[in-house]
């Protein structure tokens, strides 16, 4: 059984608030780049960038970050080095203020992998993290700088984020595992 805890309007408001917080914390959008962590973080990143465009009248570069080969919880071929898929990153992160965007922050392992991937692309001025949902239960000392909603949950529960671009609706649900 699933319980909707964030509907489409609440998601839109949360992303708008995150966008304003990004502008405030960075004193504008100079040297800002946004990297969405595949899969749903990519769509959230694009929405934030679109809102930044509306508010600041500046196009902020947005890229898709595939961190699969950086994960420490997935078996990899020892003969291959991790490589970041930069197919949709056509800009440099060196010296930039990077905003990583993901849908859910849970153990912190995805974000650790994403930071390693970003560092392989270049040395940014800073890395900040924006997440739609922070559910707690960290295994690593990682925290989000921008949070849409804190949703305390048990480890037996699952947080499911749906985005209209691929799921035909916007929602965040808690599901019993």
């Amino acid at each position: 059984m699933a319980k909707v805890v964030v509907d489409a309007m609440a998601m839109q408001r949360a992303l708008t608030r995150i966008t304003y917080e990004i502008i405030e914390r960075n004193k504008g959008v100079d040297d800002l780049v946004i990297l969405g962590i595949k899969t749903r973080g990519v769509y959230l990143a694009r929405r934030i960038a679109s809102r930044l465009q509306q508010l600041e009248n500046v196009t902020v570069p947005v890229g898709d970050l595939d961190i699969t080969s950086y994960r420490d919880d997935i078996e990899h071929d020892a003969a291959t080095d991790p490589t970041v898929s930069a197919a949709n990153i056509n800009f440099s992160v060196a010296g930039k203020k990077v905003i990583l965007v993901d849908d859910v922050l849970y153990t912190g392992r995805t974000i650790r992998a994403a930071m390693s991937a970003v560092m392989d692309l270049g040395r940014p001025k800073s890395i900040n993290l924006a997440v739609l949902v922070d559910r707690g239960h960290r295994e690593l000392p990682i925290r989000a700088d921008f949070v849409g909603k804190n949703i305390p949950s048990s480890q037996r529960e699952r947080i499911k984020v749906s985005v209209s671009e691929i799921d035909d609706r916007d929602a965040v649900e808690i599901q019993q595992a």
Side-chain angles (χ1 to χ4, degrees):
M1 171 143 195
K3 175 185 173 191
V4 175
V5 291
V6 176
D7 63 12
M9 284 303 298
M11 185 184 293
Q12 182 178 331
R13 283 191 299 272
L15 291 173
T16 296
R17 184 171 33 78
I18 287 170
T19 304
Y20 276 109
E21 290 174 6
I22 289 169
I23 294 168
E24 286 178 23
R25 174 128 356 131
N26 290 284
K27 297 176 178 59
V29 295
D30 293 341
D31 292 326
L32 201 68
V33 298
I34 301 175
L35 298 176
I37 300 171
K38 287 192 173 183
T39 296
R40 285 165 181 78
V42 170
Y43 299 102
L44 299 175
R46 290 177 187 165
R47 292 183 192 186
I48 290 169
S50 175
R51 193 73 175 115
L52 285 170
Q53 169 71 42
Q54 293 170 344
L55 295 170
E56 296 290 303
N57 202 28
V58 174
T59 301
V60 174
V62 182
D64 305 356
L65 196 60
D66 182 354
I67 51 95
T68 306
S69 62
Y70 288 83
R71 299 286 307 229
D72 63 1
D73 55 350
I74 298 173
E75 287 285 327
H76 298 290
D77 181 352
T80 61
D81 289 331
T83 55
V84 63
S85 171
N88 291 318
I89 302 174
N90 58 0
F91 51 85
S92 173
V93 300
K96 302 292 185 184
K97 299 174 192 172
V98 173
I99 307 293
L100 283 176
V101 180
D102 204 6
D103 56 350
V104 178
L105 177 56
Y106 182 34
T107 63
R109 293 188 178 281
T110 297
I111 305 309
R112 188 219 47 85
M115 289 190 302
S116 294
V118 169
M119 297 305 283
D120 281 354
L121 291 172
R123 185 178 176 153
K125 182 176 183 179
S126 63
I127 299 175
N128 287 128
L129 174 61
V131 296
L132 181 61
V133 175
D134 184 343
R135 65 173 290 190
H137 304 290
R138 224 65 86 238
E139 293 175 6
L140 300 173
I142 290 174
R143 68 169 180 77
D145 300 284
F146 311 103
V147 178
K149 183 148 180 80
N150 286 294
I151 301 178
S153 60
S154 79
Q155 291 183 314
R156 292 185 311 271
E157 293 172 318
R158 184 172 171 262
I159 302 290
K160 181 178 186 319
V161 174
S162 299
V163 292
S164 59
E165 293 89 341
I166 54 176
D167 302 308
D168 296 324
R169 73 183 190 124
D170 287 339
V172 177
E173 299 172 324
I174 295 181
Q175 300 175 333
Q176 297 301 321

